[in-house]
Amino acid sequence: MKLTWQCMFSPRLYKIYRDGNREAMYQPQGLEKWGDRVITTANTILNIGIYTSPFICMYIYKRGFFSIEETRNLARFFGGIGCLIAFSFLMRGFGRATNPKYVAFYKALTNTVADQRVYLNNIRKYDFDFRSWPVTYSVPPKLSSSWFDKHPFSNCANVNLPLYQRTTIQVLAYAATHTFGLRLIYPGSVGLVQNLLWSALFQGRAQLVEQFEGKRTKVGTADGNHIDTMFVDNRETSVKGKTLVICCEGNSGFYEIGIMTTPVKAGYSALGWNHPGFAGSTGLPYPEQEHNAIDAVMQYAINELGFKPENIVLFGWSIGGYAAAWAALNYPVKGLVLDATFDDLLPLAENQMPKSWALLVKEVVRSYVDLNIAELVAQYTGPIQLVRRTEDEIICLRQGLLSTNRGNHLLLRLIAARHPDVVTEAAEETTVAPLDKYVSLMDSQRAALERSEVDANDKRNLQLIGRYMRDYKSSHCTPLPEQVFDSVMTNLTSNKLN
């Protein structure tokens, strides 16, 4: 009976690794199956009811269900539902307590007196509700700033507006950001999107564990969030495995189905993590929470996994370039690779939203989600490589027009920071224009120009572009082949980039 009681509220088990084929899930049997089905259905209905509660209350009011007699009937109805759910919990607990496979999982999860390494190896044999996964590494907490430091009027992007307009836009920006704005920027934080991708995430996680010996860990951040991470260790199987590639995913990317397999297949060790609010990670992907998340991941890699900063490469794809660039700026890492990354969120946001919303969009981005990657890259002085997708449909302001790719602006900002002599006041008109024109060309076109008879300044500009950026013919979301990534890593560590 004690075990039945404990199993009533124990975590849901999804898979026992290497027990059947990769797609096979743990299958509840008998009473556990039916109890779990009722509880899951009730939970789904409850979530729908919460989101539609205003309409339900209006319906109840119009039908007169607030009378004493109808209230009694509703109480009897919900009381019956409550008894059914309670009985379902009892059935599920009894079913789990009589299932040897679930009992073995539960004992492994609750046997915390064992050596931590042995304990983690035991629970990593299972895939289960990540909310019940123990925090095995965390960074010291830090004091959070008060509301008065972050109130809706603490920042303003439209300082030239009259006070009444400025105040109105600030209030609207606060409301928009905390309702739908952040979700539009990071669709992967939306629960519906995660539910639709659940099967793909489950299979991707199984591949990382069963095929690549991935190790899952819950990492605690300084602001109290929990970050879902996956580590693949190739130090014993490949010379390249001595280098750890920390992968920072896009706005709808997860380590289970994102860029992590590229460095793994290329022979490098890799550490993937999910943004705050994505899949098993808690919180929301505001810039400050992103900083704390990648900072915790970096400290986990250094202090727990044993990688020195000079053996770590930050690999950011799309919007993940923000976290990657921030970490590269704050840690003496081996290098930074940015794939399909833009320079600044604001131009992309303005391009997608109605022009009449321009002031509101600017306020939202600059005050709450200011992902200015170019500013971070300009301050970073270590080895860096940019990968530009020639058919990118996401970060081009005009689809199919390479000259509007915001990665071009990221490269120009990088060159201006590292080679200020290229852009001088005296030669601004004669030097900047050709550099901007050459950036809009593809690799093959620039190579042909470099072989032709061009003057020394133009040849230098062409060489600078080729030093920091390479093209890959694909759309935004196409996975980067491991051969291309390996070539980028070779360029990153070559002497000419240091």
PDB file of all heavy atoms in Angstrom, residues 223-245:
ATOM      1  N   ASP A 223      19.338  32.706 -11.457  1.00  0.00           N
ATOM      2  CA  ASP A 223      18.038  33.314 -11.190  1.00  0.00           C
ATOM      3  C   ASP A 223      16.955  32.283 -10.880  1.00  0.00           C
ATOM      4  O   ASP A 223      15.764  32.594 -10.906  1.00  0.00           O
ATOM      5  CB  ASP A 223      17.610  34.209 -12.358  1.00  0.00           C
ATOM      6  CG  ASP A 223      17.599  33.470 -13.688  1.00  0.00           C
ATOM      7  OD1 ASP A 223      18.016  32.296 -13.726  1.00  0.00           O
ATOM      8  OD2 ASP A 223      17.191  34.080 -14.698  1.00  0.00           O
ATOM      9  N   GLY A 224      17.370  31.030 -10.623  1.00  0.00           N
ATOM     10  CA  GLY A 224      16.416  30.027 -10.164  1.00  0.00           C
ATOM     11  C   GLY A 224      15.777  29.189 -11.237  1.00  0.00           C
ATOM     12  O   GLY A 224      14.936  28.332 -10.923  1.00  0.00           O
ATOM     13  N   ASN A 225      16.128  29.383 -12.498  1.00  0.00           N
ATOM     14  CA  ASN A 225      15.587  28.540 -13.555  1.00  0.00           C
ATOM     15  C   ASN A 225      16.344  27.219 -13.624  1.00  0.00           C
ATOM     16  O   ASN A 225      17.460  27.086 -13.117  1.00  0.00           O
ATOM     17  CB  ASN A 225      15.678  29.248 -14.908  1.00  0.00           C
ATOM     18  CG  ASN A 225      14.626  30.319 -15.068  1.00  0.00           C
ATOM     19  OD1 ASN A 225      13.547  30.231 -14.483  1.00  0.00           O
ATOM     20  ND2 ASN A 225      14.931  31.347 -15.839  1.00  0.00           N
ATOM     21  N   HIS A 226      15.726  26.235 -14.278  1.00  0.00           N
ATOM     22  CA  HIS A 226      16.346  24.942 -14.510  1.00  0.00           C
ATOM     23  C   HIS A 226      16.493  24.734 -16.016  1.00  0.00           C
ATOM     24  O   HIS A 226      15.517  24.873 -16.754  1.00  0.00           O
ATOM     25  CB  HIS A 226      15.500  23.816 -13.896  1.00  0.00           C
ATOM     26  CG  HIS A 226      15.403  23.888 -12.411  1.00  0.00           C
ATOM     27  ND1 HIS A 226      14.305  23.455 -11.699  1.00  0.00           N
ATOM     28  CD2 HIS A 226      16.282  24.362 -11.481  1.00  0.00           C
ATOM     29  CE1 HIS A 226      14.499  23.644 -10.418  1.00  0.00           C
ATOM     30  NE2 HIS A 226      15.689  24.202 -10.256  1.00  0.00           N
ATOM     31  N   ILE A 227      17.706  24.423 -16.448  1.00  0.00           N
ATOM     32  CA  ILE A 227      17.997  24.294 -17.876  1.00  0.00           C
ATOM     33  C   ILE A 227      18.231  22.831 -18.228  1.00  0.00           C
ATOM     34  O   ILE A 227      19.030  22.139 -17.591  1.00  0.00           O
ATOM     35  CB  ILE A 227      19.233  25.141 -18.266  1.00  0.00           C
ATOM     36  CG1 ILE A 227      18.990  26.610 -17.875  1.00  0.00           C
ATOM     37  CG2 ILE A 227      19.511  25.030 -19.756  1.00  0.00           C
ATOM     38  CD1 ILE A 227      17.782  27.250 -18.513  1.00  0.00           C
ATOM     39  N   ASP A 228      17.525  22.378 -19.245  1.00  0.00           N
ATOM     40  CA  ASP A 228      17.641  21.008 -19.743  1.00  0.00           C
ATOM     41  C   ASP A 228      18.841  20.925 -20.674  1.00  0.00           C
ATOM     42  O   ASP A 228      18.893  21.627 -21.691  1.00  0.00           O
ATOM     43  CB  ASP A 228      16.344  20.652 -20.486  1.00  0.00           C
ATOM     44  CG  ASP A 228      16.301  19.202 -20.933  1.00  0.00           C
ATOM     45  OD1 ASP A 228      17.262  18.457 -20.663  1.00  0.00           O
ATOM     46  OD2 ASP A 228      15.297  18.818 -21.566  1.00  0.00           O
ATOM     47  N   THR A 229      19.822  20.077 -20.351  1.00  0.00           N
ATOM     48  CA  THR A 229      21.036  19.974 -21.158  1.00  0.00           C
ATOM     49  C   THR A 229      21.289  18.528 -21.579  1.00  0.00           C
ATOM     50  O   THR A 229      20.814  17.581 -20.932  1.00  0.00           O
ATOM     51  CB  THR A 229      22.277  20.479 -20.396  1.00  0.00           C
ATOM     52  OG1 THR A 229      22.617  19.549 -19.361  1.00  0.00           O
ATOM     53  CG2 THR A 229      22.026  21.848 -19.786  1.00  0.00           C
ATOM     54  N   MET A 230      22.068  18.368 -22.640  1.00  0.00           N
ATOM     55  CA  MET A 230      22.491  17.047 -23.109  1.00  0.00           C
ATOM     56  C   MET A 230      23.950  17.131 -23.523  1.00  0.00           C
ATOM     57  O   MET A 230      24.338  18.020 -24.293  1.00  0.00           O
ATOM     58  CB  MET A 230      21.633  16.600 -24.297  1.00  0.00           C
ATOM     59  CG  MET A 230      21.992  15.229 -24.851  1.00  0.00           C
ATOM     60  SD  MET A 230      21.562  13.858 -23.744  1.00  0.00           S
ATOM     61  CE  MET A 230      19.761  13.823 -23.929  1.00  0.00           C
ATOM     62  N   PHE A 231      24.760  16.208 -23.009  1.00  0.00           N
ATOM     63  CA  PHE A 231      26.196  16.206 -23.264  1.00  0.00           C
ATOM     64  C   PHE A 231      26.608  14.914 -23.953  1.00  0.00           C
ATOM     65  O   PHE A 231      26.258  13.823 -23.498  1.00  0.00           O
ATOM     66  CB  PHE A 231      26.963  16.371 -21.953  1.00  0.00           C
ATOM     67  CG  PHE A 231      28.447  16.151 -22.061  1.00  0.00           C
ATOM     68  CD1 PHE A 231      29.204  16.897 -22.963  1.00  0.00           C
ATOM     69  CD2 PHE A 231      29.090  15.213 -21.270  1.00  0.00           C
ATOM     70  CE1 PHE A 231      30.578  16.705 -23.066  1.00  0.00           C
ATOM     71  CE2 PHE A 231      30.451  15.019 -21.359  1.00  0.00           C
ATOM     72  CZ  PHE A 231      31.203  15.757 -22.256  1.00  0.00           C
ATOM     73  N   VAL A 232      27.332  15.048 -25.062  1.00  0.00           N
ATOM     74  CA  VAL A 232      27.918  13.903 -25.757  1.00  0.00           C
ATOM     75  C   VAL A 232      29.433  14.027 -25.663  1.00  0.00           C
ATOM     76  O   VAL A 232      30.010  15.020 -26.121  1.00  0.00           O
ATOM     77  CB  VAL A 232      27.469  13.849 -27.232  1.00  0.00           C
ATOM     78  CG1 VAL A 232      28.207  12.733 -27.972  1.00  0.00           C
ATOM     79  CG2 VAL A 232      25.965  13.636 -27.331  1.00  0.00           C
ATOM     80  N   ASP A 233      30.064  13.042 -25.068  1.00  0.00           N
ATOM     81  CA  ASP A 233      31.503  13.068 -24.799  1.00  0.00           C
ATOM     82  C   ASP A 233      32.246  12.226 -25.826  1.00  0.00           C
ATOM     83  O   ASP A 233      32.105  11.003 -25.857  1.00  0.00           O
ATOM     84  CB  ASP A 233      31.759  12.528 -23.389  1.00  0.00           C
ATOM     85  CG  ASP A 233      33.191  12.770 -22.921  1.00  0.00           C
ATOM     86  OD1 ASP A 233      34.004  13.255 -23.728  1.00  0.00           O
ATOM     87  OD2 ASP A 233      33.479  12.483 -21.746  1.00  0.00           O
ATOM     88  N   ASN A 234      33.036  12.880 -26.664  1.00  0.00           N
ATOM     89  CA  ASN A 234      33.835  12.176 -27.666  1.00  0.00           C
ATOM     90  C   ASN A 234      35.333  12.270 -27.387  1.00  0.00           C
ATOM     91  O   ASN A 234      36.153  12.057 -28.275  1.00  0.00           O
ATOM     92  CB  ASN A 234      33.538  12.735 -29.068  1.00  0.00           C
ATOM     93  CG  ASN A 234      32.226  12.222 -29.624  1.00  0.00           C
ATOM     94  OD1 ASN A 234      31.798  11.116 -29.294  1.00  0.00           O
ATOM     95  ND2 ASN A 234      31.567  13.026 -30.446  1.00  0.00           N
ATOM     96  N   ARG A 235      35.691  12.589 -26.138  1.00  0.00           N
ATOM     97  CA  ARG A 235      37.105  12.757 -25.816  1.00  0.00           C
ATOM     98  C   ARG A 235      37.896  11.467 -25.947  1.00  0.00           C
ATOM     99  O   ARG A 235      39.088  11.490 -26.275  1.00  0.00           O
ATOM    100  CB  ARG A 235      37.248  13.315 -24.395  1.00  0.00           C
ATOM    101  CG  ARG A 235      36.973  14.796 -24.288  1.00  0.00           C
ATOM    102  CD  ARG A 235      37.023  15.292 -22.863  1.00  0.00           C
ATOM    103  NE  ARG A 235      35.841  14.893 -22.101  1.00  0.00           N
ATOM    104  CZ  ARG A 235      35.525  15.377 -20.897  1.00  0.00           C
ATOM    105  NH1 ARG A 235      36.318  16.269 -20.329  1.00  0.00           N
ATOM    106  NH2 ARG A 235      34.441  14.965 -20.270  1.00  0.00           N
ATOM    107  N   GLU A 236      37.240  10.330 -25.727  1.00  0.00           N
ATOM    108  CA  GLU A 236      37.941   9.051 -25.795  1.00  0.00           C
ATOM    109  C   GLU A 236      37.908   8.421 -27.176  1.00  0.00           C
ATOM    110  O   GLU A 236      38.619   7.455 -27.427  1.00  0.00           O
ATOM    111  CB  GLU A 236      37.324   8.078 -24.774  1.00  0.00           C
ATOM    112  CG  GLU A 236      37.395   8.552 -23.329  1.00  0.00           C
ATOM    113  CD  GLU A 236      38.821   8.733 -22.853  1.00  0.00           C
ATOM    114  OE1 GLU A 236      39.691   7.957 -23.297  1.00  0.00           O
ATOM    115  OE2 GLU A 236      39.070   9.648 -22.034  1.00  0.00           O
ATOM    116  N   THR A 237      37.096   8.952 -28.063  1.00  0.00           N
ATOM    117  CA  THR A 237      36.936   8.322 -29.381  1.00  0.00           C
ATOM    118  C   THR A 237      37.508   9.136 -30.526  1.00  0.00           C
ATOM    119  O   THR A 237      37.625   8.632 -31.633  1.00  0.00           O
ATOM    120  CB  THR A 237      35.437   8.072 -29.661  1.00  0.00           C
ATOM    121  OG1 THR A 237      34.728   9.323 -29.636  1.00  0.00           O
ATOM    122  CG2 THR A 237      34.837   7.139 -28.614  1.00  0.00           C
ATOM    123  N   SER A 238      37.846  10.413 -30.292  1.00  0.00           N
ATOM    124  CA  SER A 238      38.320  11.261 -31.383  1.00  0.00           C
ATOM    125  C   SER A 238      39.241  12.339 -30.833  1.00  0.00           C
ATOM    126  O   SER A 238      39.031  12.851 -29.720  1.00  0.00           O
ATOM    127  CB  SER A 238      37.128  11.909 -32.106  1.00  0.00           C
ATOM    128  OG  SER A 238      37.549  12.916 -32.990  1.00  0.00           O
ATOM    129  N   VAL A 239      40.268  12.671 -31.606  1.00  0.00           N
ATOM    130  CA  VAL A 239      41.159  13.773 -31.225  1.00  0.00           C
ATOM    131  C   VAL A 239      40.378  15.077 -31.175  1.00  0.00           C
ATOM    132  O   VAL A 239      40.581  15.919 -30.289  1.00  0.00           O
ATOM    133  CB  VAL A 239      42.337  13.879 -32.221  1.00  0.00           C
ATOM    134  CG1 VAL A 239      43.195  15.102 -31.904  1.00  0.00           C
ATOM    135  CG2 VAL A 239      43.180  12.611 -32.189  1.00  0.00           C
ATOM    136  N   LYS A 240      39.439  15.240 -32.122  1.00  0.00           N
ATOM    137  CA  LYS A 240      38.619  16.448 -32.151  1.00  0.00           C
ATOM    138  C   LYS A 240      37.688  16.521 -30.947  1.00  0.00           C
ATOM    139  O   LYS A 240      37.173  17.589 -30.609  1.00  0.00           O
ATOM    140  CB  LYS A 240      37.815  16.504 -33.452  1.00  0.00           C
ATOM    141  CG  LYS A 240      38.671  16.704 -34.680  1.00  0.00           C
ATOM    142  CD  LYS A 240      37.836  16.821 -35.946  1.00  0.00           C
ATOM    143  CE  LYS A 240      37.199  15.516 -36.338  1.00  0.00           C
ATOM    144  NZ  LYS A 240      36.526  15.578 -37.653  1.00  0.00           N
ATOM    145  N   GLY A 241      37.467  15.370 -30.299  1.00  0.00           N
ATOM    146  CA  GLY A 241      36.589  15.346 -29.134  1.00  0.00           C
ATOM    147  C   GLY A 241      37.127  16.106 -27.947  1.00  0.00           C
ATOM    148  O   GLY A 241      36.390  16.376 -26.992  1.00  0.00           O
ATOM    149  N   LYS A 242      38.422  16.465 -27.968  1.00  0.00           N
ATOM    150  CA  LYS A 242      38.984  17.289 -26.897  1.00  0.00           C
ATOM    151  C   LYS A 242      38.391  18.693 -26.906  1.00  0.00           C
ATOM    152  O   LYS A 242      38.473  19.415 -25.916  1.00  0.00           O
ATOM    153  CB  LYS A 242      40.504  17.382 -27.048  1.00  0.00           C
ATOM    154  CG  LYS A 242      41.228  16.040 -27.137  1.00  0.00           C
ATOM    155  CD  LYS A 242      41.067  15.230 -25.874  1.00  0.00           C
ATOM    156  CE  LYS A 242      41.845  13.906 -25.991  1.00  0.00           C
ATOM    157  NZ  LYS A 242      41.664  13.049 -24.797  1.00  0.00           N
ATOM    158  N   THR A 243      37.821  19.072 -28.042  1.00  0.00           N
ATOM    159  CA  THR A 243      37.143  20.367 -28.154  1.00  0.00           C
ATOM    160  C   THR A 243      35.657  20.190 -27.885  1.00  0.00           C
ATOM    161  O   THR A 243      35.014  19.319 -28.484  1.00  0.00           O
ATOM    162  CB  THR A 243      37.349  20.974 -29.547  1.00  0.00           C
ATOM    163  OG1 THR A 243      38.738  21.222 -29.764  1.00  0.00           O
ATOM    164  CG2 THR A 243      36.576  22.283 -29.698  1.00  0.00           C
ATOM    165  N   LEU A 244      35.123  20.999 -27.001  1.00  0.00           N
ATOM    166  CA  LEU A 244      33.684  20.969 -26.699  1.00  0.00           C
ATOM    167  C   LEU A 244      32.981  22.060 -27.482  1.00  0.00           C
ATOM    168  O   LEU A 244      33.360  23.233 -27.414  1.00  0.00           O
ATOM    169  CB  LEU A 244      33.445  21.180 -25.204  1.00  0.00           C
ATOM    170  CG  LEU A 244      31.970  21.287 -24.783  1.00  0.00           C
ATOM    171  CD1 LEU A 244      31.261  19.953 -24.977  1.00  0.00           C
ATOM    172  CD2 LEU A 244      31.844  21.752 -23.334  1.00  0.00           C
ATOM    173  N   VAL A 245      31.942  21.691 -28.214  1.00  0.00           N
ATOM    174  CA  VAL A 245      31.116  22.647 -28.951  1.00  0.00           C
ATOM    175  C   VAL A 245      29.813  22.834 -28.183  1.00  0.00           C
ATOM    176  O   VAL A 245      29.040  21.881 -28.022  1.00  0.00           O
ATOM    177  CB  VAL A 245      30.831  22.163 -30.386  1.00  0.00           C
ATOM    178  CG1 VAL A 245      29.954  23.172 -31.122  1.00  0.00           C
ATOM    179  CG2 VAL A 245      32.135  21.930 -31.139  1.00  0.00           C
TER     180      VAL A 245
END
